[in-house]
Each structure stands twice: as structure tokens, then as C-alpha cells.
Amino acid sequence: LTHEEVSKARQMHCIENEQLKEQVDVLKKEYYTLEVQYREGRAAERAELASFREQLRGYVEVERELDAAIRACAEGPGGAAGAAARRSGAVGADGFEAPQSHDEALLIGTTLASAPTSAQRRIQQSLLLATELQRRTREAAAAKAALGEAQAEAGRLRGELEAL
């Protein structure tokens, strides 16, 4: 090989070397950019995961409360009596008070049989129970008002009777 050929080959290799160095620099910058994006994305995903876990804990707690409300509803009208029986120790081996009558046993059975199993059905059941509670609260208020009127009427009639 001649000196000129060696010089040209050297020049071409130097140019190629510079181009490859530039490519390495560009790839390094891209690598570091992608690494930062990955870390930021991972941090965001961890924060989102923590948020979802907290939501899940809340949902689990709501589900437990709904289960407890449904069980309390299953105790039926004797709920206060059931609480007194539990305090006095008149509770069955399963931890629940035995039904006092056939009607009460039927009520407990039908309530437990209709106890929801999915979250959506539990919410639906809770809404139905809340609606029933509001209806009965209105009925109780109306009954109290009627009782007050009847007592006032009875007092008025007693007064008239004593006046005679």
C-alpha cells in the first residue's frame, strides 16, 4: 500500500470513529432519558397502587359494615331483646340467639337467604334497607303524632267528664 492509500484509509476510519462516537453519545442521552421516564412512571404506578390499595381497604370495610347490618337486620324485630340475651348469656353455640318463635325463625331464614353475595347486590340490599328504614321512621313519626293527638283528646274528654 502506498502512503496516500494509508492516509485516506486512516482519514476514513477517523471520520467513521467520530460518527460512531456521536451515535454512542446520542444513544447514551436516549438511554438516560428513558431511564428517567421509567423511574417517574414506576413512581407514579406505585403511588397509584397505594391509592388503589387504600380504596380496596375502604371497600372491604364497607363490605364488613354491610354484612354486619344485614346480620343485624336478620335478627329481626327482637334485635334489642337479642342484645339483652347476648349480654345475659342466652346465646347459642354459633354465637347467635335462638329464634323465640316460628315467625321470627322464618324472618331470619328469609333474610339470610336473601343476603346478597356480590358487592353490587350488597349495595342494592343496603339501599333497600335504608328505604325501609326511612319508611318506618316516617310511620313511627306519624304514629307518635297520632298518639299525641289521641292523648290530647283523652285529656280534653277527661276534663269535660270531670266538669259534668
Side-chain angles (χ1 to χ4, degrees):
L1 292 173
T2 65
H3 180 60
E4 275 182 34
E5 290 175 344
V6 171
S7 178
K8 274 187 174 183
R10 184 176 173 266
Q11 250 182 346
M12 288 178 64
H13 287 298
C14 283
I15 290 173
E16 185 181 352
N17 187 23
E18 286 299 317
Q19 288 174 344
L20 290 173
K21 282 183 181 179
E22 288 175 10
Q23 282 182 349
V24 167
D25 288 342
V26 167
L27 290 173
K28 279 183 181 179
K29 286 179 185 177
E30 187 176 344
Y31 167 78
Y32 292 128
T33 301
L34 289 173
E35 186 178 23
V36 166
Q37 287 175 352
Y38 167 76
R39 287 185 182 176
E40 289 173 353
R42 186 146 184 238
E45 288 171 355
R46 279 187 282 191
E48 187 178 20
L49 178 61
S51 171
F52 287 149
R53 283 182 177 159
E54 188 60 34
Q55 281 181 332
L56 180 61
R57 278 189 211 104
Y59 291 143
V60 167
E61 182 60 31
V62 166
E63 189 172 327
R64 283 188 193 127
E65 290 174 4
L66 290 173
D67 286 343
I70 290 169
R71 277 190 226 106
C73 178
E75 291 178 5
R86 281 189 294 283
R87 282 192 300 273
S88 68
V91 179
D94 59 358
F96 292 101
E97 167 195 6
Q100 300 299 319
S101 68
H102 174 71
D103 290 336
E104 189 176 339
L106 184 62
L107 175 66
I108 291 172
T110 56
T111 303
L112 289 177
S114 68
T117 55
S118 71
Q120 182 180 5
R121 288 184 64 210
R122 288 174 194 248
I123 291 170
Q124 186 179 29
Q125 183 74 18
S126 296
L127 292 174
L128 290 172
L129 289 172
T131 303
E132 179 70 12
L133 175 65
Q134 288 177 344
R135 184 182 65 80
R136 290 193 181 190
T137 302
R138 284 192 302 269
E139 288 175 0
K144 283 182 182 179
L147 175 63
E149 290 173 9
Q151 287 175 340
E153 179 68 17
R156 185 185 64 79
L157 291 174
R158 270 194 210 104
E160 286 181 14
L161 183 62
E162 290 175 1
L164 293 176

